[in-house]
Amino acid sequence: MTTDFPTESGLAGAQSPSGRATIIDVRITPIAFPDPPLLNAVGCHEPWALRAIVEVDCGDGLVGLGETYGDASHLTVLRMVAPLLVGLDPFRTEHLRSVVDRLLGTAEAPAEKLGPAGGMGPEKTALRVFSAFEVACLDLQGQAIGRPVHDLLGGRVRDEVPFSAYLFYKWARHPGGDADRYGAALDPDGIVAQARTMVRTYGFQSIKLKGGVFAPDEELDAIRALRAEFPTLPLRIDPNAAWSVATSRRVAAETQGLLEYLEDPTEGLAGMAAVAETAGMPLATNMCVVSFDHLPEAVERGSVQVVLSDHHYWGGLRQSVRLAGICETWGLGLSMHSNSHLGISLAAMTHLGAALPQMAYAADTHTPWQLGVDVVEHPLTFVNGAVPVPTSPGLGVRLDRDALARLHENYLRQGITGRDDTGYMRRFHPDFDPAKPRW
């Protein structure tokens, strides 16, 4: 394994003027792990998912862990920030955030610094970068005082955090690759078979289908088939805004009584508000409300009734607690969004979910799609669809350095440096058009 920033020798156990340990080293390790051919509104997942593992080291074995996006542009900004954290107090996360903001969170920040949030401005980029370091610092804090991270967020209000089965239309294999345990899912029967496997393996008590792949009527047939197979489990569908307002209204009418909520059927706050006017179920989003300044208009228009938080881009765990409080004030429901992730992110999500009384819906997770690969020694496990909340200090997971080295080697040899679902799909279907609305 290589590190992007060499450890400063002779600083182990370095102390701040207050006598508290300070950060002596920050390591950023990009990794890649196999990703199945999962289909969505903009294409297909490539054979490798990218992440970056963050280690914030205070010496004497005290190392905090974070996990974040692994795209090359995001790695660039992580590497810009990391050296500036050396010498800082890991308990002063607001000061750490100010360091990140000064570098990245200004209108003058060059475009090449904006990473995966480039279209959303420098402030959002700064939050995405800060979040990985904040989680690592909270892990450090918990280890230092012998308390779990959820105690640093207000204490747990539940002993287990429920998650939802996350179904995808998918090919049986990547072209030229081997089949995975889930096989193909290109019709209602395939989706139901996938759901059976996930419910049997993980015990999930709710089900979400990633839509926007086939015509809405075909996806409605899959929802109806899931209802027939699982008559008591809450169902959701997320077409990633692939439908027009008119189509979204029709789907909402036809799924009244079938769906727990309808996620991002159409684009934008105005479009979602138009659908919400007639929908018989809540509308949820992780697309049109992704920063705090989106909330006033969303509330005024009545665009959404459920916000899917994601600490990776909302600015970390404490910012997510702040979001939960705002949602409670305005009567909005709360859940958690997921992207391809490993065990450090699952642990962070679990600690956050444990401390949020406002979380009324099971969270999303991509854990089943890791196919057993992880970067921690003992990943958290699912019991009846929920993850028992860790009670050991910090996040409660430890880095598997052999696994980290293997996954870093994957990153070095596989050649993918950024996610491109559309480009990958067009390799096999050159006429694929991700324009929205498609239906």
Side-chain angles (χ1 to χ4, degrees), residues 39-386:
L39 304 175
N40 56 66
V42 296
C44 180
H45 286 208
E46 295 179 88
W48 297 96
L50 306 180
R51 299 294 272 179
I53 303 304
V54 172
E55 298 175 73
V56 176
D57 192 339
C58 282
D60 293 338
L62 194 61
V63 179
L65 302 178
E67 178 187 331
T68 185
Y69 311 102
D71 303 80
S73 54
H74 191 62
L75 287 170
T76 296
V77 289
L78 290 172
R79 289 165 173 161
M80 290 170 59
V81 169
L84 304 180
L85 307 187
V86 173
L88 300 186
D89 184 339
F91 278 78
R92 295 182 61 197
T93 53
E94 285 303 309
H95 176 58
L96 187 154
R97 181 180 170 189
S98 72
V99 170
V100 176
D101 286 346
R102 281 198 299 271
L103 183 66
L104 302 175
T106 67
E108 292 77 26
E112 63 267 24
K113 295 181 180 179
L114 299 185
M120 302 176 70
E123 181 181 0
K124 194 64 180 176
T125 297
L127 289 172
R128 289 185 178 220
V129 171
F130 168 73
S131 65
F133 297 119
E134 185 237 28
V135 169
C137 285
L138 289 172
D139 186 22
L140 272 170
Q141 292 174 29
Q143 293 176 50
I145 66 173
R147 303 295 291 267
V149 165
H150 54 74
D151 278 353
L152 305 175
L153 303 176
R156 72 181 187 270
V157 296
R158 55 180 63 87
D159 294 328
E160 59 182 21
V161 176
F163 289 83
S164 180
Y166 201 165
L167 310 183
F168 281 80
Y169 290 102
K170 65 183 292 291
W171 300 330
R173 59 179 58 81
H174 285 285
D178 297 326
D180 59 64
R181 71 183 67 157
Y182 290 101
L186 298 169
D187 56 25
D189 288 344
I191 289 295
V192 168
Q194 185 183 109
R196 284 196 202 106
T197 299
M198 285 202 184
V199 170
R200 181 175 64 249
T201 305
Y202 297 93
F204 291 123
Q205 301 298 304
S206 61
I207 296 174
K208 170 176 171 174
L209 173 63
K210 177 66 76 177
V213 176
F214 297 109
D217 287 337
E218 295 180 55
E219 296 182 352
L220 285 178
D221 286 343
I223 290 293
R224 294 185 183 105
L226 288 168
R227 171 53 68 235
E229 181 72 17
F230 303 99
T232 63
L233 298 191
L235 303 177
R236 319 163 182 173
I237 187 170
D238 171 20
N240 282 135
W243 303 337
S244 68
V245 169
T247 298
S248 300
R249 283 180 155 182
R250 177 176 68 83
V251 170
E254 294 186 26
T255 54
Q256 187 165 343
L258 283 177
L259 296 181
E260 179 182 33
Y261 60 63
L262 176 58
E263 182 180 341
D264 285 312
T266 199
E267 283 197 301
L269 292 172
M272 289 283 282
V275 177
E277 287 177 354
T278 61
M281 73 287 290
L283 299 191
T285 188
N286 78 291
M287 294 179 67
C288 67
V289 177
V290 294
S291 64
F292 289 101
D293 58 3
H294 295 158
L295 284 162
E297 182 181 353
V299 170
E300 182 178 1
R301 288 180 178 270
S303 302
V304 299
Q305 291 73 52
V306 181
V307 175
L308 276 67
S309 174
D310 187 326
H311 73 271
H312 300 93
Y313 62 75
W314 277 92
L317 301 185
R318 288 197 173 112
Q319 286 286 85
S320 298
V321 172
R322 175 188 170 206
L323 171 65
I326 293 172
C327 287
E328 181 178 28
T329 297
W330 294 105
L332 301 176
L334 187 74
S335 187
M336 280 192 278
H337 165 261
S338 163
N339 207 328
S340 299
H341 66 81
L342 293 174
I344 298 170
S345 285
L346 179 64
M349 293 172 69
T350 300
H351 282 273
L352 177 61
L356 293 182
Q358 301 90 349
M359 202 179 90
Y361 299 91
D364 296 346
T365 180
H366 277 62
T367 293
W369 300 114
Q370 295 167 208
L371 304 175
V373 175
D374 217 317
V375 75
V376 298
E377 290 180 350
H378 302 290
L380 302 184
T381 57
F382 291 79
V383 179
N384 295 324

Side-chain angles (χ1 to χ4, degrees), residues 381-400:
T381 57
F382 291 79
V383 179
N384 295 324
V387 176
V389 176
T391 57
S392 53
L395 288 174
V397 294
R398 295 178 61 88
L399 198 59
D400 182 333

